[in-house]
Structures are given as structure tokens and as C-alpha cells.
């Protein structure tokens, strides 16, 4: 799942110390004067869902399929580079990464950083829309990977189907 973040003040290169105009970090932007203001194209706040971004691309007649293929390729290569360095003792572990990607004017993606502790807090509707389904998917993958036991009621039902049907 993808979350798109924006700065909440117009970027001006000469104002290098203005964090709100240079960083998309919500914990910084929410304290700025433009956070709750309806901004042209973006709206209030500083986050969009992937559906909002794709809708914007469509309005601008931008075919974004190549953008997403490039981003997926970049993420895949980044993970593969580390694959051989995973110790055997960690093969049964799972991790959740956050990839920070920026698009330039030609819509070329650039990897800024990989977070091994991505922000999972919810402070707007875009967070709930993006993060909740992602966490549900992640936990489902974890259950498959480590083969968590089924809940006791499900095991009981499989062992004693007649008894459960009477309840």
C-alpha cells in the first residue's frame, strides 16, 4: 500500500531552514500554519492515498503504469541486495519496511531511504485507508510464514463437528 505525503508550505530554495517546506514528515507539518488549510490540488493536511494520486495523474493525462513498475523494480532490487546477508537464525523472522520514494519532474522515482520502523500511527483518514489494510495483509502473511496455531474454537470445531453444530 502506498501513502503520498506533501509539504504544507511552498518550497523556496532560499529558505533552507524552513523544515515545513522541505520535509514531508507529518509530525513536523502538522504544527505548521498551512496544515489544516485547504491547499490547491492537495486539500487539507499533507497525505493522500494511492487512489487520490492515481486520480490526479488521470486528470493530468499521465499514464502512471511505468512509474509504478519502476518503483516496484527499485524496491525489489533493494530487498534482493540484502537477501544474502540475512543470517540463518533469522530465516523465520518477518520485518516490515517503509520505502520513501520521491518522484522528479519527469516522474522518475528516486529512493530516499528505507525505514525498518515505518510510522504506523493514524492521524488522518488517509492513514486508516492505507495502513489498516496493509497491517491486515502483513499479519496474514506472518501467520502463513510462521504457521500460527488456529484459534481454539476452530480446532475444537474440526475435532468435534457434531458437538459444535449443537451449540
Amino acid at each position: 500500500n502506498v501513502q503520498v505525503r506533501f509539504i504544507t508550505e511552498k518550497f523556496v530554495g532560499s529558505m533552507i531552514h524552513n523544515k515545513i517546506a522541505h520535509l514531508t514528515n507529518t509530525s513536523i507539518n502538522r504544527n505548521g500554519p498551512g496544515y489544516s488549510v485547504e491547499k490547491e490540488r492537495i486539500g487539507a493536511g499533507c497525505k493522500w492515498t494511492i487512489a487520490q494520486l492515481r486520480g490526479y495523474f488521470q486528470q493530468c493525462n499521465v499514464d502512471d503504469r511505468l512509474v509504478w513498475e519502476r518503483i516496484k523494480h527499485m524496491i525489489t532490487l533493494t530487498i534482493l541486495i540484502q537477501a544474502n546477508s540475512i543470517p540463518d537464525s533469522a530465516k523465520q523472522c518477518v520485518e516490515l519496511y517503509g520505502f520513501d520514494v520521491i518522484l522528479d519532474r519527469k516522474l522518475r522515482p528516486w529512493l530516499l531511504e528505507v525505514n525498518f520502523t515505518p510510522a504506523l500511527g493514524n492521524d488522518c483518514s488517509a492513514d486508516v485507508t492505507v495502513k489498516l489494510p496493509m497491517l491486515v495483509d502483513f499479519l496474514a502473511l506472518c501467520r502463513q510464514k510462521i504457521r500460527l496455531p488456529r484459534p481454539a474454537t476452530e480446532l475444537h470445531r474440526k475435532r468435534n463437528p457434531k458437538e459444535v453444530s449443537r451449540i
Side-chain angles (χ1 to χ4, degrees), residues 104-161:
D104 65 18
R105 290 176 191 245
K106 295 182 178 179
L107 297 179
R108 290 179 302 201
W110 296 90
L111 181 62
L112 295 177
E113 67 178 345
V114 179
N115 298 297
F116 65 93
T117 54
L120 297 175
N122 293 322
D123 58 21
C124 68
S125 62
D127 282 336
V128 176
T129 302
V130 171
K131 294 175 184 178
L132 185 59
M134 180 273 306
L135 286 171
V136 168
D137 289 347
F138 179 71
L139 292 172
L141 288 171
C142 291
R143 184 175 183 199
Q144 290 176 359
K145 176 74 175 166
I146 59 176
R147 295 182 181 85
L148 293 175
R150 292 190 170 120
T153 54
E154 190 176 330
L155 286 174
H156 185 76
R157 187 179 316 124
K158 286 189 174 196
R159 290 183 184 145
N160 306 303

Side-chain angles (χ1 to χ4, degrees), residues 23-41:
L23 301 174
T24 61
N25 188 314
T26 307
S27 62
I28 292 171
N29 275 277
R30 85 166 59 107
N31 298 317
Y35 182 74
S36 57
V37 174
E38 283 289 324
K39 293 167 286 304
E40 182 183 350
R41 296 186 193 146

Side-chain angles (χ1 to χ4, degrees), residues 4 10 20 28 42 51 53 62-63 66-67 69 73 76 81 83 93 100 105 117 125 132-133 145 151 158 162 166:
V4 182
K10 187 172 176 78
I20 295 171
I28 292 171
I42 298 171
L53 179 63
V62 172
D63 183 356
L66 182 58
V67 172
E69 288 305 314
H73 184 75
T76 301
I81 288 169
C93 297
D100 290 357
R105 290 176 191 245
T117 54
S125 62
L132 185 59
K145 176 74 175 166
K158 286 189 174 196
K162 291 180 183 175
R166 284 186 260 144

Side-chain angles (χ1 to χ4, degrees), residues 16-91:
I16 193 74
H17 298 294
N18 184 353
K19 290 180 183 180
I20 295 171
H22 292 270
L23 301 174
T24 61
N25 188 314
T26 307
S27 62
I28 292 171
N29 275 277
R30 85 166 59 107
N31 298 317
Y35 182 74
S36 57
V37 174
E38 283 289 324
K39 293 167 286 304
E40 182 183 350
R41 296 186 193 146
I42 298 171
C46 63
K47 296 178 186 178
W48 273 3
T49 64
I50 188 65
Q52 288 172 289
L53 179 63
R54 295 197 91 177
Y56 176 73
F57 282 156
Q58 287 176 352
Q59 288 175 357
C60 296
N61 294 317
V62 172
D63 183 356
D64 63 346
R65 290 177 294 183
L66 182 58
V67 172
W68 302 117
E69 288 305 314
R70 286 177 173 165
I71 291 172
K72 287 190 279 185
H73 184 75
M74 179 175 50
I75 290 171
T76 301
L77 289 177
T78 302
I79 292 171
L80 287 175
I81 288 169
Q82 294 298 314
N84 288 335
S85 65
I86 300 171
D88 287 338
S89 60
K91 298 285 185 194

